C-alpha cells in the first residue's frame, strides 16, 4: 500500500511540474504571459495552488481507481486515464477555478495541452519501466552467473 501511495505521490509531482511548465510555455508563446506579469504575487501563488489541486485530485483519482479496479492494461487503461484527466481538468479547472469557458474555442487548446502533458507523462513512465526492466534483467543475469559458477 505504501508503494502505491509513493507511486501516486510521484505521479502528482510529475504532473504538477509538467502542467506548470507546459501551461506557462503556452502562455509565453501566445503572449498571454504579459497578462500574468502584471498579476500580484498572491494571484500567481493562487494559480500555482490551483495547478497543484488539479494534479493532486488526478493522482488521488488514479489511486482510488487502482484500488477499486486493480491493474488495467492496454486501451482500457488509457481510456480510464484520459477520462480522469479530462474530467478533472474540465470540472475542477474549468468549472471551479474558471480557467477557461467550457463553451469557447479555448476548450480545444485545453485538450491540446492535456494531450501534450499526457504524452510526456506516458513517455516518462515508459522510459522508467524500460529502465526498471533492464535493471531486473541485469539482476537475473548476475544471479544466473552466480548459480552457474
Amino acid at each position: 500500500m505504501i508503494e502505491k501511495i509513493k507511486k501516486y505521490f510521484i505521479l502528482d509531482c510529475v504532473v504538477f511540474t509538467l502542467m506548470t511548465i507546459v501551461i506557462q510555455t503556452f502562455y509565453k508563446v501566445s503572449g498571454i504571459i504579459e497578462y500574468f506579469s502584471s498579476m500580484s504575487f498572491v494571484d500567481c501563488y493562487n494559480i500555482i495552488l490551483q495547478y497543484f489541486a488539479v494534479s493532486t485530485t488526478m493522482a488521488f483519482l488514479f489511486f482510488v481507481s487502482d484500488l477499486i479496479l486493480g491493474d488495467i492494461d492496454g486501451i482500457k487503461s488509457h481510456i480510464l486515464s484520459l477520462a480522469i484527466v479530462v474530467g478533472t481538468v474540465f470540472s475542477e479547472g474549468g468549472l471551479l477555478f474558471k480557467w477557461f469557458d467550457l463553451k469557447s474555442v479555448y476548450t480545444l487548446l485545453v485538450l491540446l495541452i492535456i494531450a501534450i502533458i499526457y504524452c510526456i507523462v506516458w513517455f516518462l513512465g515508459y522510459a522508467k519501466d524500460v529502465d526498471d526492466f533492464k535493471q531486473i534483467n541485469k539482476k537475473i543475469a548476475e544471479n544466473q552467473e552466480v548459480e552457474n559458477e
Side-chain angles (χ1 to χ4, degrees), residues 22-111:
V22 170
I23 291 171
Q24 295 308 316
T25 302
F26 169 76
Y27 288 153
K28 181 75 171 170
V29 168
S30 67
I32 298 174
I33 199 72
E34 293 164 7
Y35 166 76
F36 285 101
S37 344
S38 65
M39 294 175 79
S40 71
F41 173 77
V42 173
D43 290 335
C44 290
Y45 185 72
N46 285 336
I47 289 173
I48 297 298
L49 286 178
Q50 291 173 7
Y51 293 167
F52 186 69
V54 169
S55 67
T56 302
T57 301
M58 281 186 243
F60 177 75
L61 291 173
F62 282 123
F63 176 72
V64 169
S65 71
D66 190 15
L67 287 179
I68 294 171
L69 302 173
D71 288 335
I72 300 174
D73 291 329
I75 192 75
K76 292 178 185 176
S77 172
H78 291 291
I79 291 170
L80 177 63
S81 297
L82 285 171
I84 289 172
V85 171
V86 171
T88 304
V89 169
F90 277 71
S91 61
E92 195 170 1
L95 294 174
L96 181 65
F97 295 134
K98 307 284 188 221
W99 290 347
F100 56 95
D101 183 11
L102 293 175
K103 297 177 184 175
S104 72
V105 71
Y106 289 112
T107 303
L108 296 174
L109 292 173
V110 170
L111 288 172

